[in-house]
Each structure stands twice: as C-alpha cells, then as structure tokens.
Amino acid sequence: MKSLYDLNYEQMQQMAIEHGWKAFRGHQIFQWLYRSRVNEIDEMTNLSKETREQLKEEFEMNPLTLITKQVSHDGTTKFLFQTKDGCLLESVMMVFDYGNSVCVSSQVGCNMGCAFCASGLTKKKRDLTRGEMVAQVIYVQKELDAKNQRLSHIVVMGTGEPFDNYDNVMNFLSTVNHDRGLGIGSRHITISSSGIVPRIYDFANEHTQYNLAISLHAPNNELRNQLMPVNKAYPLEELMKALDYYSQENNRRLTFEYILLKGVNDQVIHARQLAKLLKNRNAYVNLIPYNNVDEKEFKSVSYQEAMVFYDLLMKNNVRCTIRKEHGNDIDAACGQLRIKEIRREK
Ligand code: SAH
Ligand code: SF4
C-alpha cells in the first residue's frame, strides 16, 4: 500500500485532481502532514468523512515502526525502525550549535562494498521508498515538537548509496524541502555519495541547491580501488571530471569526506597526493575519525595524528576540518546499530 508520504507537493495535488477533487485538497492534505504533523488521516478535520475514508482505503500514513531508540550523553539520538515488510533501517539525530540535524538512510543495506563500512556488511535488500525516507524525518521532527524545537538540517549519510536510489531520494528531498511543508532549506540539505559518476552529471543538471559531499577516502586509484570498489567502475579521473562539471554548472565548492584510517591512507605521501589531486580546485576536505566496526580491522588515527594530516593539507593550501565525533557511545556510525540488531536476531 502506498503511503501519503510518498507524494511530494505537486504529486499530492495531482492525486487530488485524479480523484475528482480540487487541487486545493492536495494542498490541505500536505499541510496536515507537514505543518500539523497529524498521526492519522481522521485528524484531517477539514476533509469530509467520505474523502477521509477514500484516502484510508488507498493510503497508509506511517510506513515505519520504531524498534529501539538510544540517546547519547551528547544528545545524539539513534532510531532503529522497521518497515512493513520487516526490513531494519536507522536514522540518527545530532544536536549542533547551529541546529538539529538528522542523518537519513536511503537503502536497506548497501551494495557498494566499501572495505571499512558496516552498512556494506549486508548486501542491499532493497531501495527505501520516498515515504520511508520522509517518515524518518517526520519521526524526528515529531520528537522535537515535544520540545518546541525544529529540525533544521538533513544529511543523506545513513545506510545506503543515495545515488543508487536517485529518483526516490530526489523526490523525498523535494517533499521535505517544500516551503509549504517542513521547509528545510536546500542549503541545509546534504547528499553524500561514494561517487557514481553518471548520477553526478544528472545531479549537476538539476541545479538544486542541495550540498553534495563525495566520499573520497583515498588520493590515488590503487588505494581507492582497494577501499571502495566503486572506483573500479568510476576511477578518480572520471570522478574529478564529473565534479568539475558539477562545480562549474552550479558554481559550488566541492566537499570531500576522508576517513583517516591508521596506517592505510594517513601517511605524508597521501596528504601530498590529496593536495595534488585538489590543486586549483575550489575544494574542502572533511577529515573524519573512523568509528570502529567489530567486523573490520581498520583503526582510527588519534586526534594528534589527525592534526598532523590536517596541518600537511593546510600547508599545501587545501582547506579542511576535522569532524567531531558524535554519539560514539551508542554505535552512531552508519550501519552499526542495524548490524547489531541483525546479529542479535541470528
Ligand atoms: N553511501 C554514501 C552515504 C552513506 S555513508 C557514501 O558512502 O557517501 C556516509 C559516510 O560515512 C561516508 O563518507 C562513509 O564513507 C562514512 N563511513 C562509513 N563507515 C564509517 C565508519 N565506520 N566510520 C566513519 N565513517 C564511516
Ligand atoms: Fe555504501 Fe557508503 Fe558504506 Fe560505501 S560507505 S558501503 S557506499 S554506505
């Protein structure tokens, strides 16, 4: 059964018209979902009983059930959800000084097989629907409602490769971005991708103002092939070409994520290669501490070691920051809680 959260603003109006109602009905339903944030179709009191019954026959409201919730000492909250067909997925809410952010999952498992990642431990079961992504955001906003707070940022950095579920992700974002709904600003929305080159061109051509972050994690093809199999299909030359196109087309800075893996990609030579790769580009690197994953042998660098790498990049004119860890006491790294639950079930 379809969820009402599957439809963006325009599709909601279209649905109303197809039912022989006025487009305005679609507008009203959208407002009930995203402004009033009702739990039941019957709470949409300006719709006739007949209209509500018809909606209930065709659509469900919430496609997700909460299984567990963990709250970290730093306010980071992790939600484990179950879909109607029994799939597990997780979302993480983080509290920053600039606002509240939610990290959304885009698939059940992931097929990209990155060597260091917990999400890749289970093959992709399926893509998440638009409604299942919207519902993660709505759930977190409802929690915040109780405290009179607003969700201000969205990052699509949970389990899954968003560019392997491109249409659903773009549709989901258009829903939560819409100013008649939650109105989360485009510049407050970030999509993180491992670098599926054809989708980078598609994304560039859409000219949305969403931020794009690319998981780089290695400065040369040999190492990146080992860490991220996607690099075999789309090597660094092709990736950078696509990103240059995106950057020119949208007049945007390039953001790269780089996990510092002890003894693997954290050496002086790697910093030099990275600086060379990004030379003459308007780029920015987010250095990320590695969240240990039980099944993986990778280890994070210490803060001091990260600082050495940071200094090397800065000296070579690469702008960068070291990302602060959040919720490391609650397995907040992408895919970790889900893996624990799957292991427990087995
Ligand atoms: N598939 C997308 C988005 C989800 S992963 C992507 O790869 O970009 C979001 C980010 O978390 C990526 O940069 C990924 O490399 C990183 N990541 C994965 N496992 C991690 C871990 N154990 N510790 C720290 N970062 C991790
Ligand atoms: Fe998938 Fe991203 Fe994890 Fe790679 S890092 S396996 S692309 S979720």
Side-chain angles (χ1 to χ4, degrees), residues 110-114 116-120 158-161 194 215 217 228 334:
C110 182
N111 272 349
M112 308 308 289
C114 300
F116 46 80
C117 176
S119 296
T159 299
E161 168 48 52
S194 60
S215 295
H217 308 325
M228 303 179 70
C334 130

Side-chain angles (χ1 to χ4, degrees), residues 116-117 157-158 160-161 192-194 215 217 257 259 289-291 293:
F116 46 80
C117 176
M157 288 192 187
E161 168 48 52
S192 171
S193 171
S194 60
S215 295
H217 308 325
E257 292 155 283
I259 307 175
Y290 182 60
N291 264 299
V293 177

Side-chain angles (χ1 to χ4, degrees), residues 21-40:
W21 309 327
K22 291 213 167 67
F24 184 66
R25 279 271 171 270
H27 168 83
Q28 286 177 315
I29 297 167
F30 199 80
Q31 296 242 309
W32 281 117
L33 292 177
Y34 298 103
R35 288 283 169 88
S36 315
R37 300 193 270 279
V38 296
N39 293 313
E40 302 294 339

Side-chain angles (χ1 to χ4, degrees), residues 258-262 265-268 271 285-290 300-316 318-324:
Y258 195 99
I259 307 175
L260 286 168
L261 301 163
K262 196 177 173 73
N265 65 356
D266 64 335
Q267 307 294 304
V268 175
V285 179
N286 231 320
L287 297 170
I288 307 174
Y290 182 60
S300 186
V301 297
S302 66
Y303 186 74
Q304 285 72 15
E305 288 163 330
M307 275 311 289
V308 172
F309 200 85
Y310 170 91
D311 283 338
L312 269 169
L313 287 184
M314 292 296 267
K315 273 198 201 106
N316 285 284
V318 179
R319 276 170 298 163
C320 56
T321 48
I322 301 179
R323 190 186 283 170
K324 197 172 152 253

Side-chain angles (χ1 to χ4, degrees), residues 70-304:
Q70 282 175 276
V71 185
S72 163
H73 55 75
D74 63 11
T76 304
T77 308
K78 183 139 186 165
F79 303 88
L80 183 72
F81 294 109
Q82 188 166 37
T83 62
K84 292 273 139 93
D85 60 346
C87 295
L88 295 171
L89 62 115
E90 53 196 300
S91 320
V92 182
M93 189 195 77
M94 287 160 292
V95 183
F96 295 94
D97 42 13
Y98 56 76
N100 298 307
S101 174
V102 63
C103 176
V104 173
S105 288
S106 58
Q107 298 178 315
V108 182
C110 182
N111 272 349
M112 308 308 289
C114 300
F116 46 80
C117 176
S119 296
L121 286 171
T122 49
K123 285 260 162 267
K124 178 176 96 174
K125 250 195 189 158
R126 66 170 174 83
D127 291 329
L128 288 179
T129 64
R130 298 151 187 205
E132 285 163 342
M133 287 184 270
V134 171
Q136 296 174 57
V137 174
I138 284 290
Y139 197 97
V140 171
Q141 177 57 64
K142 280 183 184 167
E143 291 253 320
L144 288 170
D145 283 342
K147 296 190 272 182
N148 257 321
Q149 287 184 22
R150 226 188 129 238
L151 186 64
S152 55
H153 290 69
I154 295 180
V155 293
V156 190
M157 288 192 187
T159 299
E161 168 48 52
F163 279 2
D164 183 39
N165 186 15
Y166 186 83
D167 290 344
N168 283 348
V169 167
M170 294 308 277
N171 208 284
F172 142 64
L173 291 177
S174 76
T175 303
V176 290
N177 171 239
H178 205 282
D179 57 10
R180 294 186 190 277
L182 292 176
I184 295 173
S186 304
R187 299 239 170 194
H188 288 186
I189 293 175
T190 301
I191 304 174
S192 171
S193 171
S194 60
I196 299 182
V197 163
R199 294 295 87 71
I200 295 175
Y201 285 105
D202 291 341
F203 182 73
N205 290 332
E206 299 216 27
H207 296 104
T208 66
Q209 294 298 311
Y210 308 144
N211 306 301
L212 177 65
I214 294 294
S215 295
L216 195 62
H217 308 325
N220 64 61
N221 280 323
E222 198 191 343
L223 184 57
R224 200 163 187 266
N225 283 346
Q226 287 168 25
L227 295 177
M228 303 179 70
V230 65
N231 197 69
K232 291 177 195 156
Y234 306 112
L236 284 171
E237 301 73 41
E238 282 182 42
L239 177 63
M240 297 313 290
K241 201 170 141 207
L243 290 172
D244 288 340
Y245 176 76
Y246 160 77
S247 171
Q248 279 155 23
E249 199 57 29
N250 292 268
N251 195 21
R252 296 299 294 264
R253 187 181 71 180
L254 298 175
T255 303
F256 295 97
E257 292 155 283
Y258 195 99
I259 307 175
L260 286 168
L261 301 163
K262 196 177 173 73
V264 176
N265 65 356
D266 64 335
Q267 307 294 304
V268 175
I269 173 94
H270 300 122
R272 292 221 179 98
Q273 288 175 344
L274 188 54
K276 197 169 162 219
L277 185 71
L278 302 182
K279 202 177 169 198
N280 298 326
R281 289 186 162 101
N282 182 11
Y284 179 88
V285 179
N286 231 320
L287 297 170
I288 307 174
Y290 182 60
N291 264 299
N292 291 335
V293 177
D294 290 347
E295 288 82 353
K296 307 279 184 186
E297 284 181 357
F298 296 101
K299 289 276 166 287
S300 186
V301 297
S302 66
Y303 186 74
Q304 285 72 15

